[in-house]
C-alpha cells in the first residue's frame, strides 16, 4: 500500500507533464506480435495498439491506442455523443503499465520471441482522474512508469489527447510468479 505522502507526490508528477519525454529512453516499434508476448489480453480487450518508446533507466514506457467508432464502450456511452468510458481509459493505461513487468524488471528493451506474459491480478486503484473526453477517431497517447515494486507493482499512468492531459491513474497489481 502506498503511503499518502507518496501518492500525493506521484499525483503532482502526473499533472506536470508527460511521464516519457520525446527523447527519453529508446524508440521502439512494437505492435501486435510483441504485445501478445507482453500482455495476457487479446482483442477486443487489449486496449493498446503499439509501444513507441521504452525508458529502461526511468522504468517508463509510452504507447498509443487509436479509437474507432466501433470500439468497445462507444455503442451505448453515449449514443448521440460517444465518449470513451473512463474505466476503459484506466484499463488501457494499466495494460501499458503491465509491460513494465518485462522492461523494468529485466532492464532491457528486447522482447524475446519465446516470452510469455506474466500472470497478474489487479488489486487496487489508488487514484483515477478524468479531465477531458476521448471520442471516436482520437488517439490516446499512453504513458506509464513504475512507482514501487515489492510484493506488488504500483504503476502511475497518463492518457493524453494531443497536448491535453485527459486522464491519469495510480494502480497496483499482484504478479504471480
Amino acid at each position: 500500500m502506498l503511503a499518502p505522502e507518496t501518492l500525493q507526490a506521484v499525483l503532482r508528477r502526473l499533472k506536470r507533464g508527460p511521464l516519457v519525454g520525446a527523447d527519453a529512453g529508446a524508440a521502439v516499434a512494437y505492435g501486435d506480435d510483441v504485445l501478445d508476448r507482453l500482455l495476457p489480453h487479446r482483442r477486443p480487450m487489449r486496449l493498446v495498439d503499439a509501444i513507441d518508446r521504452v525508458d529502461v533507466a526511468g522504468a517508463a514506457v509510452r504507447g498509443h491506442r487509436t479509437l474507432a467508432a466501433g470500439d468497445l464502450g462507444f455503442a451505448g456511452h453515449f449514443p448521440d455523443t460517444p465518449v470513451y468510458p473512463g474505466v476503459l481509459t484506466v484499463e488501457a493505461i494499466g495494460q501499458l503499465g503491465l509491460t513494465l513487468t518485462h522492461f523494468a524488471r529485466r532492464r532491457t528493451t528486447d522482447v524475446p520471441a519465446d516470452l510469455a506474459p506474466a500472470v497478474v491480478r489487479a488489486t487496487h486503484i489508488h487514484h483515477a482522474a478524468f479531465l477531458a473526453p476521448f471520442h471516436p477517431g482520437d488517439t490516446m497517447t499512453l504513458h506509464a512508469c513504475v512507482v514501487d515494486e515489492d510484493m506488488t507493482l504500483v504503476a502511475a499512468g497518463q492518457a493524453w489527447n494531443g497536448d491535453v492531459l485527459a486522464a491519469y491513474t495510480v494502480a497496483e497489481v499482484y504478479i504471480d510468479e
Side-chain angles (χ1 to χ4, degrees):
M1 194 60 114
L2 280 181
E5 59 275 7
T6 302
L7 178 60
Q8 291 307 312
V10 171
L11 294 175
R12 281 191 301 277
R13 179 179 176 204
L14 289 170
K15 295 174 195 177
R16 278 198 300 258
L19 291 172
V20 180
D23 297 325
V28 297
Y30 293 151
D32 287 340
D33 59 329
V34 172
L35 288 167
D36 283 348
R37 288 181 262 150
L38 292 169
L39 296 171
H41 307 80
R42 297 297 178 263
R43 298 201 186 273
M45 270 311 294
R46 191 180 70 230
L47 304 178
V48 177
D49 292 338
I51 295 171
D52 57 37
R53 191 156 291 277
V54 177
D55 182 358
V56 171
V61 63
R62 184 180 73 199
H64 68 272
R65 163 79 179 194
T66 300
L67 301 171
D71 278 351
L72 184 67
F74 279 132
H77 194 263
F78 299 95
D80 295 332
T81 310
V83 174
Y84 200 62
V87 68
L88 295 179
T89 303
V90 168
E91 176 69 19
I93 295 167
Q95 287 181 19
L96 182 71
L98 287 179
T99 68
L100 292 166
T101 61
H102 172 75
F103 297 125
R105 284 181 156 194
R106 291 180 177 84
R107 302 198 52 76
T108 183
T109 60
D110 294 331
V111 182
D114 63 346
L115 183 71
V119 177
V120 298
R121 289 188 303 278
T123 62
H124 193 84
I125 294 176
H126 293 275
H127 188 89
F130 308 100
L131 309 172
F134 287 104
H135 302 286
D138 289 343
T139 296
M140 296 191 301
T141 301
L142 306 166
H143 295 249
C145 71
V146 173
V147 172
D148 186 47
E149 186 175 5
D150 191 13
M151 296 280 299
T152 60
L153 172 75
V154 180
Q158 304 164 315
W160 292 81
N161 192 348
D163 292 335
V164 175
L165 178 59
Y168 58 91
T169 188
V170 179
E172 190 167 351
V173 296
Y174 174 77
I175 304 164
D176 190 9
E177 298 181 281

